[in-house]
Amino acid sequence: VLTGLAPLRAFFRVVWCGSKIGESLSFTASEEQLVVRSINATRSVASEFCFSKSFFDEFVLADSRGGKVATSIAAAKFLLPAVKNPGLVKQLTFSLLVKDQVLLIELLLKSDILKRFHIPAEDSEILRAVYNTDRCTCNASVRPRFLSDILSNFHGKLEEIKLACSSSQFRVLSFVEDEDENAMNVLLRTEMAVDVKEFEEYFFPKADVVELTFSFKAFRAILELAEGFDVPLRIFFDKGGLPIVFIISYPGRMNQSFEAQFILATRQHITDSVASSRTDLQSTADSGRKPSSLAEKVSASTGPESSTRLGNTSIASFLTRGDNDEGSWNRAASPKEAPTDAERSGIDEGRADRGDDEDDDEFVEGTPPPE
């Protein structure tokens, strides 16, 4: 049971944010917390929202088939009509009716009208991402409004965004496929650079620049949620090809009643050999023509070394069943759960064990098809 405008807004925002990540939301209630999870269809973005027992006015675990955990999965399109106007709601009652396979939402409006939403539960497996931020060598803390102001300068239909991080500078760039010359000539290319002093915390022990390319839509949804809570957004990352993690804690890191965690797959980058790049540039110069694409112009201006993408790293390697686990994903993995080097590079060696029938060369949205 929830009352009060601030908690209602927080709960409604979480449902809306989760619906922007995936088509379905899973709810897992234990004796101490309610966890809402969402994963997109391509398994490149996962979200987890943890509400502690203290967040609610009344929190009772019952009708869980004799277990300590009650779970349910519902389609986002059925949930959204129930979480539209928190300002009109006096009280929210949220029930997971496991035996009836129904998710019941009751809204008592300020006009004393009672609305009931009976949402059918979906019969599917609950998945959660397990990725410990202790593996990340770099981290930062920043006010979400600051990043939102930066993203407001980028094209709204952009599919992916790139962060170029160094010890002294933080750059945000629009990302477009180099192979698609027509798209590069038409779309607006934007780049913004800010001093790391603008961050509340910024720890970057690496000497080289780290480039992270990931979903622009998911990034905007994360910032929108964090801005609504008006708390710093914590960022954890290591390098391109490994996940980047965003964490929102409310009201703070200590004794928080709510925490949101997002894990996003990033593109893996490699550097071309110097000899190969020089050959390409020399052939362009010998032809007597001007570089026609922006990619050639950038290569000519930045020198012989260039970056080639290997595609998105799916987070499938970090997924596990979430219906029987009460803990947060941000924990140290057990020896059986610790990913191998192949998994860290995006190879899902456990796919056959999970019974996943998808092909290993699964196409990921925003990723060039494998050669």
Side-chain angles (χ1 to χ4, degrees):
V1 178
L2 268 180
T3 59
L5 183 58
L8 287 170
R9 278 180 175 173
F11 191 82
F12 284 21
R13 285 189 182 116
V14 164
V15 176
W16 277 95
C17 183
S19 67
K20 294 178 181 179
I21 301 298
E23 297 181 353
S24 300
L25 276 71
S26 67
F27 298 87
T28 303
S30 63
E31 295 180 352
E32 298 297 329
Q33 66 181 3
L34 172 68
V35 181
V36 184
R37 298 185 178 97
S38 180
I39 299 177
N40 67 345
T42 58
R43 295 186 178 183
S44 61
V45 180
S47 62
E48 179 173 289
F49 311 93
C50 299
F51 295 93
S52 68
K53 184 177 181 179
S54 61
F55 180 84
F56 300 91
D57 296 281
E58 182 180 345
F59 189 88
V60 178
L61 180 64
D63 191 24
S64 58
R65 295 181 180 178
K68 295 182 179 180
V69 176
T71 62
S72 183
I73 302 177
K77 63 181 179 180
F78 297 144
L79 292 167
L80 295 182
V83 292
K84 282 187 175 181
N85 300 308
L88 302 178
V89 180
K90 182 190 301 184
Q91 177 179 294
L92 164 70
T93 303
F94 187 85
S95 305
L96 302 179
L97 306 180
V98 179
K99 292 182 179 179
D100 298 331
Q101 296 185 350
V102 171
L103 193 153
L104 175 62
I105 298 178
E106 295 179 311
L107 301 178
L108 179 60
L109 305 184
K110 294 180 179 179
S111 58
D112 292 332
I113 297 176
L114 180 63
K115 286 187 176 182
R116 286 193 178 96
F117 297 85
H118 295 261
I119 302 173
E122 295 183 350
D123 185 15
S124 58
E125 185 180 39
I126 296 178
L127 296 176
R128 62 192 296 266
V130 178
Y131 189 78
N132 188 16
T133 54
D134 290 342
R135 302 171 183 171
C136 302
T137 57
C138 309
N139 65 82
S141 178
V142 62
R143 285 284 170 180
R145 180 69 180 181
F146 174 70
L147 293 179
S148 295
D149 291 341
I150 293 178
L151 293 192
S152 65
N153 296 280
F154 289 77
H155 197 284
K157 294 184 179 181
L158 196 65
E159 291 187 359
E160 291 180 298
I161 195 82
K162 179 162 72 174
L163 306 181
C165 309
S166 66
S167 58
S168 60
Q169 196 176 61
F170 181 85
R171 293 188 299 141
V172 185
L173 307 89
S174 54
F175 180 84
V176 181
E177 296 289 350
D178 290 347
E179 291 82 0
D180 191 352
E181 295 187 4
N182 294 329
M184 295 182 64
N185 292 332
V186 173
L187 292 180
L188 176 66
R189 300 295 295 269
T190 307
E191 176 179 345
M192 296 192 68
V194 297
D195 196 301
V196 296
K197 295 180 180 179
E198 299 292 339
F199 288 74
E200 295 189 356
E201 298 177 11
Y202 191 86
F203 180 72
F204 190 90
K206 297 177 179 289
D208 299 328
V209 176
V210 172
E211 293 185 347
L212 305 163
T213 304
F214 50 89
S215 169
F216 180 61
K217 177 183 177 182
F219 192 30
R220 290 205 305 178
I222 294 170
L223 293 178
E224 184 179 346
L225 179 66
E227 194 172 345
F229 284 101
D230 193 25
V231 293
L233 176 67
R234 288 182 287 155
I235 309 171
F236 299 86
F237 60 92
D238 187 67
K239 63 180 180 179
L242 292 180
I244 180 172
V245 179
F246 299 91
I247 298 180
I248 304 168
S249 299
Y250 179 82
R253 299 188 188 184
M254 302 300 295
N255 301 321
Q256 69 266 17
S257 59
F258 166 77
E259 184 175 80
Q261 305 180 28
F262 302 86
I263 177 170
L264 279 66
T266 63
R267 285 179 177 266
Q268 187 174 8
H269 295 256
I270 62 171
T271 302
D272 294 336
S273 63
V274 175
S276 176
S277 297
R278 283 178 175 171
T279 302
D280 294 339
L281 292 174
Q282 186 64 36
S283 62
T284 300
D286 293 342
S287 63
R289 64 177 179 85
K290 295 181 179 180
S292 59
S293 68
L294 186 56
E296 291 181 341
K297 295 177 183 177
V298 171
S299 298
S301 61
T302 57
E305 293 189 355
S306 62
S307 180
T308 302
R309 291 168 310 287
L310 297 183
N312 266 22
T313 304
S314 170
I315 60 172
S317 302
F318 305 101
L319 294 180
T320 184
R321 290 188 59 183
D323 52 351
N324 295 321
D325 196 330
E326 300 179 18
S328 169
W329 67 11
N330 187 18
R331 59 179 176 84
S334 65
K336 292 182 180 180
E337 293 174 337
T340 63
D341 293 337
E343 287 175 330
R344 289 171 64 87
S345 64
I347 301 176
D348 185 9
E349 296 180 336
R351 177 169 299 178
D353 296 335
R354 292 196 311 270
D356 194 343
D357 295 328
E358 295 177 349
D359 185 60
D360 288 339
D361 294 331
E362 174 187 16
F363 177 76
V364 179
E365 182 180 358
T367 305
E371 296 181 357

